[in-house]
Amino acid sequence: MKRPSYPFRLLIILLILTVIPIGTTHIGSIYLGSKNGILLGFCVGIPCVTYACWKMFMDGWRDEDEE
C-alpha cells in the first residue's frame, strides 16, 4: 500500500495527537464531570500517542519523500 504524501502524513499525526484526546476530554467533562473527563482524556491520549509514535518511527512516516 502506498504511503500518503509527507504533508498529509504530518496532518494525520497532528489530528491523532490533538483532536481525539482534546475532543474526548471535552465530551467526557460534559457527561462525566471535570475530574473524570480529564482522566478519560488521558486514558484515550496514551494509545493515541503510542499509535502516532508507531507510525512515525516504525513505519517511517517522519522521513520525507524522495522523488
Side-chain angles (χ1 to χ4, degrees):
M1 179 162 50
K2 188 175 184 297
R3 294 189 313 183
S5 65
Y6 182 68
F8 192 63
R9 289 193 308 253
L10 291 180
L11 180 64
I12 292 170
I13 295 296
L14 180 72
L15 291 175
I16 289 171
L17 292 176
T18 57
V19 173
I20 296 173
I22 292 173
T24 303
T25 303
H26 179 70
I27 292 171
S29 295
I30 291 172
Y31 290 110
L32 303 173
S34 179
K35 290 182 181 179
N36 288 330
I38 292 172
L39 178 64
L40 180 64
F42 276 111
C43 292
V44 169
I46 292 170
C48 288
V49 170
T50 304
Y51 181 73
C53 289
W54 177 270
K55 293 304 281 182
M56 288 182 70
F57 294 104
M58 297 302 208
D59 289 347
W61 275 30
R62 66 183 176 139
D63 302 330
E64 292 191 30
D65 295 331
E66 296 178 13
E67 296 183 43

